[in-house]
Amino acid sequence: MRVAILSRGPRLYTTRRLKEAAEQRGHVARVLNTLSFSIEVEQEQPRLYYRSRELRGYDAVIPRIGASITFFGAAVVRQFEQTGVFCVNPSHAISVSRDKLRALQVLSRHRVGIPKTVFVRNPSEILSGIERLGGAPVVVKLLEGTQGVGVILAETTKVAEAVIETLSGPAKMNVLLQQFVQESRGRDVRALVVGGRVVAAMRRVAERGEFRSNVHRGGRVEVAHLDDVYRATAVHAAQILGLRVAGVDMLEGRDGPVVMEVNSSPGLEGIERATGVDVAGEIVRLIEDEVLFPEVDLRQRLTLHKGYGVMEIPIAEGSLLCGKTIGTSGLRDRDVIVLTIQRGSLTIPNPRRDRAIVAGDVLLCFGKNLTLKSLAPPGRGARGVRRKPPRRAVAVARSRAAGRSHG
Ligand SMILES: Nc1ncnc2c1ncn2[C@@H]1O[C@H](COP(=O)(O)OP(=O)(O)O)[C@@H](O)[C@H]1O
Ligand SMILES: [Mg+2]
């Protein structure tokens, strides 16, 4: 395979390790400076130029997009996608995860712990926002900060107000107000997710007198042995955001993991040194897998037929489907295919005929829109996802493609 690593720093630890890991496994790897690309958009002829020459012949791209070039970087990745090159993380997922508010908004629909967060524009809304967070202390953060810069602990409401007004005043920066997860005491967990699995995890412990555990803020790093809940949360968060490779940062909250941010270009130095795991090698293995069994984009394929769509159907107590199995439900006879069953925090992909349907399940179904609507309870119950089925659906397609069956 020919692998392109998009990075502005060929000498950086992570870039070097990825190149080395690809070469070790017999691939050709080249580090390309993201900013030296030129994107050419023309009908049915998407092209990419690198240092003024057309670039072709790559099988896969590993994007390492820094926060300061998110927009251009994501556009370059998107162009690779248009030319049919496999990108380890999709451009859309990179943009969403980079924006802390957007990422939390997307996560908030799912069963994933997140810190309660408030976003306001009008200064008159600040006070009531802080009150709804339970009062000071609160964390104030810049929407697109990294490395702990722009993350401030405001001990009192007055300080919080002053900080927000300063940041969002003439400088016009977007700031979030966030509930302070005090019990995590300056510690957080970073889980490295690669292809639906946590391959390594570390705990970062903040310096004395500091609540931010970022290594750039003097935090120290140790191996973390995560339990199943933390692992499942990390994998779930990465999946929801559509990232195949992600550094999921979690606070250790009173009631379990609290996902703070999900990084689409996680650095490997700290985590490889702390755990001894060859994360770069895992990423290359993932690429080998995916290039062999390409993922189908269900968003595009399933909804091309007019009148067909994907819908989430919640099963209420007393519903006609409740207590039946997939086989006896009659869904198949009505041309409805159940892609997944969501049961609490468990996702059952590709459920078999003998799988029972129980109250509280949410069935992700594909079929005729009219039929799906007739199955859904009236009101707010069902969620049509015609334009954009959840990432889970994509995962189903993949496991089918790879010949695995579940349920
Ligand atoms: N709501 C919070 N409660 C407690 N600690 C937090 C909270 N938000 C951030 N922190 C601490 O501050 C650090 C930096 O915050 P984070 O949102 O990850 O910003 P950055 O993108 O700059 O790393 C985290 O690693 C964590 O240690
Ligand atoms: Mg962070």
Side-chain angles (χ1 to χ4, degrees), residues 33 39 42 69-70 75 132 134 175 204 273 282 347 362 371 378 389 391:
N33 185 334
I39 294 165
E42 193 187 342
I69 60 156
T70 302
R132 288 199 303 277
V175 285
R204 297 177 298 193
R273 293 229 160 103
E282 295 285 349
T347 303
V362 178
T371 316
R391 297 279 160 187

Side-chain angles (χ1 to χ4, degrees), residues 204 214 249 261:
R204 297 177 298 193
N214 303 69
D249 291 347
E261 64 170 338

